[in-house]
Amino acid sequence: MLASTSGGIGFVGVLILVVSVIIAAGLQTFLVVVPGACLAVAYNIWAWRRAELTPIPKENADAAKAANWFLAGLYALFALFS
């Protein structure tokens, strides 16, 4: 199994999109969202090419997968009742 040392790549991409939407709402024009989306995609490509992958034990990968599914389910539950 391989794991990335840059676990925040997806988070930063989403953060860039959220900030561009907030700026677009503040300026009352959604023309800022398109460059924000392009910046998020460019950052994602750059970061994944730069990310260092290291081998990890299968047990750790399975635990991380279980934690990700748990958090996704928790998010879905909160989204359902909010």
Side-chain angles (χ1 to χ4, degrees):
M1 289 282 163
L2 294 175
S4 172
T5 57
S6 302
I9 293 174
F11 173 75
V12 173
V14 171
L15 183 65
I16 291 170
L17 287 174
V18 168
V19 168
S20 69
V21 168
I22 290 171
I23 291 171
L27 296 175
Q28 295 180 348
T29 178
F30 279 96
L31 295 177
V32 181
V33 176
V34 174
C38 292
L39 180 63
V41 169
Y43 170 78
N44 215 340
I45 292 170
W46 172 80
W48 277 113
R49 287 188 180 169
R50 191 172 176 265
E52 182 179 332
L53 297 177
T54 55
I56 62 169
K58 184 176 180 350
E59 295 81 22
N60 291 1
D62 291 340
K65 189 187 310 181
N68 283 338
W69 277 111
F70 173 75
L71 290 175
L74 194 61
Y75 174 75
L77 184 66
F78 284 146
L80 185 64
F81 291 110
S82 63

